[in-house]
Amino acid sequence: MSLSRINPAQTKAWTALQDHFNQDNTSDIKSLFKSESNRAKDFSIQWNNFYIDYSKNALSKKTMDLLIDLSKEVGLSEAIAHYFNGTAINETESRAVLHTALRDKSATAINVDGENIIPQINAVKAQMKAFSNDIINGVKTGYTGKAFTDVVNIGIGGSDLGPAMVVEALKFYQNHLKLHFVSNVDGDHVQEVLKGLNPETTLFVVVSKTFTTQETLSNATTIKNWFLQTASQKDVAKHFAAVSTNTQKISDFGIVPAHVFTMWDWVGGRFSLWSAVGLSIALAVGYDHFEEMLSGAFEMDQHFKHTPFEKNIPIVLSLISIWYANFYKSETQAIIPYTQYLSRFSAYLQQGIMESNGKCFDRAGNRVSYETETVIWGEPGTNSQHAFFQLMHQGTKLIPADFIGFKKSLHGDTDHHNKLMANFFAQTEALLSGKTRTQVDQEFAEKGTDALVASKVAPFKVFEGNKPTNTLLIDQLTPSALGSLIALYEHKIFVQGVIWNIFSYDQWGVELGKQLATNILSEIEGSTKGQHDPSTQLLLKIFNS
Ligand code: F6P
């Protein structure tokens, strides 16, 4: 047994937290700022080029102390040691969880089943470097001798979201290769992507940890057939590469060994962008930028491993999320990046966070009696301000939100960046401070608004405030900063899973739907007849009619 089986709700710290929640008013954040004079500074962490301000939260110093007690009582320190040293903490699949090994710049040996995995990692990295350089520089060409212009990543879930998010995030550093992503089994998706492509100059990277995923295999087969309309079977070797743990299945597909990039069972799909799953990233921005991203992640790993809990960014942010989910019973959490480059960041984190911690059975197999993961969502600011922020400011739901912004823009347009960041700061201030009825009345009076009109509209212009946010202010969106940011959220997932006493690294919850889809497909195709609930039965009848 690698991780403890401590029911967090039965710890002393949990009881103390519940008493504290019931007795002390922590929801009036504005008052907390008045009573804790140094709050802005005390509730902040400066690390490398990151400044984390968590002072605008519905918690006091006492709350933080009790949350840290909770993390200690459930054995977080021991769990962190297991996480990094290759213990099989993914117990239901008997696997280690070692995405951190992929970026470990210091390790000479990390053993899995008695074998040192560092030489294997380095070998695949060397292969990725050589391959991406050759494609970018036109040393490897397509079947008619032309240099590649386009790359299509064929994968889904972790084999799509990570690379797609990072390629978009690092677009500023992108070379001449144009990246495309095909994920959905919807044939219209693949056809739309193929529409603009030239088979002579397009490279296809099939990414699937298992190489059994229906969506990816269907898309890869459709694409290969499309390719063979103009090229011949022997040309597949030049135009297709694959990333997987399942090398036998790849060779059945016809991909040559030199273009096969290995990954390992100890890398979870949703944490795999640091492995050869990141090949599309290396192709888009060059291998050196890919390595810089890994270095940034490694720095965050070191921070997480060695920093006392009170100043440890992933731990502090996890504890804040636990406080809202388990005591305030908040159901959701927003992640709002103030850069268009991070437009896929929330979608990426939805898989990372919700596939990991969306669990209702504890590590002993019992139904939990407390809440686990919240719904994660978000869109870049300022677009989201003009979409769903109304609900955040004046709705009835408690929505803790992470605001992620950068001190410097990449293109250096100060005018735009100042406007962007003014909005960034204004929103968290507005969410905190709100606007009282007195302030609203005063504004009307200053404008000379008719008293009758003013009194009618005034109630609707009140903002209650006290809406919690974290501010993550980072120097600039470099590959290294992005690596640190992603690693931060990865560790946050881990910490919350440890505290909730759940297994974060399996995903059995995605299996039932896949199984039923296989059965329904054979019914739709007419080869079998199945039993369904009345609603599904009728829907299938209408679909087939
Ligand atoms: O949706 C379940 C899942 O297993 C994810 O965890 C994974 O990232 C995705 O499917 C794709 O799997 P594969 O890389 O094996 O094709």
Side-chain angles (χ1 to χ4, degrees):
M1 195 165 85
S2 56
L3 297 175
S4 67
R5 264 75 172 144
I6 297 170
N7 179 340
Q10 285 171 8
T11 59
K12 274 203 225 128
W14 189 283
T15 308
L17 279 159
Q18 193 59 63
D19 290 347
H20 167 56
F21 180 80
N22 296 340
Q23 288 153 18
D24 306 325
N25 178 15
T26 53
S27 59
D28 187 351
I29 313 173
K30 288 184 269 180
S31 295
L32 292 172
F33 270 101
K34 286 184 192 135
S35 59
E36 296 172 323
S37 59
N38 234 5
R39 185 175 168 91
K41 189 116 199 26
D42 289 348
F43 287 63
S44 71
I45 303 173
Q46 171 77 62
W47 171 82
N48 280 5
N49 290 325
F50 281 55
Y51 182 81
I52 312 294
D53 172 8
Y54 61 97
S55 63
K56 292 186 181 92
N57 275 299
L59 43 81
S60 64
K61 171 86 177 62
K62 180 176 170 188
T63 321
M64 283 315 294
D65 290 345
L66 292 174
L67 286 165
I68 286 173
D69 290 349
L70 174 66
S71 65
K72 290 185 178 157
E73 212 176 328
V74 298
L76 181 59
S77 297
E78 297 77 8
I80 293 173
H82 286 312
Y83 174 47
F84 281 97
N85 73 12
T87 308
I89 62 169
N90 176 359
E91 287 183 43
T92 64
E93 295 179 317
S94 304
R95 288 175 189 167
V97 176
L98 274 174
H99 47 276
T100 51
L102 297 162
R103 59 215 190 200
D104 192 332
K105 307 278 165 182
S106 65
T108 46
I110 296 177
N111 292 320
V112 173
D113 299 328
E115 196 184 345
N116 180 9
I117 58 172
I118 297 296
Q120 310 166 31
I121 293 172
N122 289 339
V124 175
K125 280 187 180 177
Q127 188 193 1
M128 285 173 74
K129 182 175 181 173
F131 182 78
S132 53
N133 280 345
D134 285 353
I135 298 290
I136 295 166
N137 299 330
V139 173
K140 277 185 189 284
T141 61
Y143 69 97
T144 56
K146 291 185 189 156
F148 287 104
T149 56
D150 293 81
V151 177
V152 180
N153 187 94
I154 308 162
I156 196 164
S159 299
D160 165 72
L161 285 163
M165 180 277 284
V166 174
V167 166
E168 187 61 29
L170 299 182
K171 214 173 185 172
F172 179 76
Y173 306 88
Q174 195 164 335
N175 55 43
H176 63 281
L177 291 174
K178 288 195 268 319
L179 268 288
H180 312 267
F181 291 85
V182 174
S183 51
N184 201 326
V185 78
D186 178 359
D188 291 341
H189 188 191
V190 59
Q191 292 307 332
E192 279 302 325
V193 170
L194 290 176
K195 220 158 77 174
L197 294 175
N198 176 357
E200 288 175 66
T201 56
T202 305
L203 175 75
F204 300 98
V205 185
V206 189
V207 187
S208 176
K209 179 174 168 182
T210 54
F211 228 77
T212 57
T213 305
Q214 183 199 53
E215 290 89 340
T216 304
L217 295 189
S218 302
N219 283 326
T221 305
T222 299
I223 286 175
K224 190 167 136 185
N225 291 338
W226 170 86
F227 178 76
L228 290 175
Q229 284 169 15
T230 43
S232 61
Q233 182 62 42
K234 70 171 178 13
D235 302 324
V236 169
K238 285 191 159 193
H239 284 257
F240 283 77
V243 180
S244 186
T245 55
N246 195 341
T247 41
Q248 177 54 47
K249 281 244 176 199
I250 300 178
S251 72
D252 297 347
F253 191 85
I255 296 172
V256 289
H259 290 182
V260 175
F261 296 82
T262 306
M263 62 182 291
W264 307 273
D265 273 350
W266 40 262
V267 185
R270 53 194 175 273
F271 305 98
S272 63
L273 63 86
W274 322 99
S275 72
V277 170
L279 186 61
S280 299
I281 302 169
L283 287 162
V285 297
Y287 187 80
D288 290 349
H289 283 132
F290 177 72
E291 268 298 339
E292 275 174 43
M293 184 181 74
L294 266 56
S295 301
F298 175 62
E299 285 175 30
M300 180 55 78
D301 296 344
Q302 296 303 297
H303 165 80
F304 176 54
K305 229 168 146 175
H306 301 298
T307 310
F309 287 11
E310 311 73 55
K311 286 285 165 198
N312 191 309
I313 302 170
I315 295 180
V316 166
L317 295 187
S318 303
L319 295 175
I320 294 171
S321 289
I322 296 267
W323 176 238
Y324 290 126
N326 295 107
F327 298 92
Y328 276 93
K329 313 275 189 228
S330 68
E331 295 277 334
T332 123
Q333 199 175 315
I335 295 171
I336 318 288
Y338 273 68
T339 165
Q340 199 57 30
Y341 289 118
L342 288 182
S343 59
R344 302 296 312 276
F345 195 57
S346 308
Y348 165 74
L349 287 180
Q350 282 180 329
Q351 188 201 11
I353 299 174
M354 297 202 275
E355 198 167 86
S356 298
N357 287 341
K359 310 279 166 69
C360 65
F361 301 111
D362 70 16
R363 289 197 285 267
N366 302 315
R367 181 74 164 74
V368 295
S369 59
Y370 43 87
E371 292 296 324
T372 61
E373 195 53 81
T374 52
V375 176
I376 303 294
W377 53 283
E379 280 288 317
T382 56
N383 296 21
S384 48
Q385 294 172 202
H386 295 271
F388 53 75
F389 268 45
Q390 163 66 38
L391 184 145
M392 290 176 74
H393 285 288
Q394 285 191 316
T396 54
K397 307 267 180 285
L398 172 68
I399 305 172
D402 287 354
F403 278 67
I404 303 169
F406 296 85
K407 281 161 94 173
K408 287 178 254 163
S409 75
L410 289 170
H411 284 277
D413 187 327
T414 315
D415 175 47
H416 275 269
H417 196 62
N418 287 347
K419 286 174 185 157
L420 174 74
M421 294 308 283
N423 277 281
F424 175 77
F425 296 117
Q427 287 298 331
T428 59
E429 182 171 39
L431 287 162
L432 167 71
S433 306
K435 195 190 269 187
T436 61
R437 176 65 192 257
T438 315
Q439 286 171 302
V440 174
D441 289 343
Q442 208 174 322
E443 273 182 13
F444 276 129
E446 278 163 17
K447 279 189 204 147
T449 311
D450 173 77
L452 213 62
V453 174
S455 70
K456 199 174 162 199
V457 182
F460 306 101
K461 299 191 99 176
V462 170
F463 291 68
E464 290 172 350
N466 286 318
K467 316 279 187 198
T469 57
N470 291 309
T471 297
L472 285 71
L473 185 59
I474 306 167
D475 215 38
Q476 200 167 27
L477 183 53
T478 59
S480 162
L482 180 68
S484 299
L485 183 67
I486 300 168
L488 187 173
Y489 280 98
E490 287 181 345
H491 299 323
K492 186 173 181 287
I493 291 167
F494 167 78
V495 173
Q496 288 176 226
V498 169
I499 294 176
W500 282 324
N501 189 27
I502 54 178
F503 287 122
S504 300
Y505 297 99
D506 58 23
Q507 55 286 318
W508 301 110
V510 301
E511 292 306 321
L512 178 59
K514 288 185 195 173
Q515 203 182 321
L516 296 190
T518 309
N519 299 343
I520 290 178
L521 179 62
S522 67
E523 287 169 44
I524 289 175
E525 288 174 343
S527 52
T528 54
K529 266 209 149 345
Q531 286 289 317
H532 301 280
D533 64 84
S535 158
T536 310
Q537 196 76 51
L538 185 56
L539 288 166
L540 286 171
K541 194 173 158 205
I542 294 167
F543 179 72
N544 282 327
S545 63

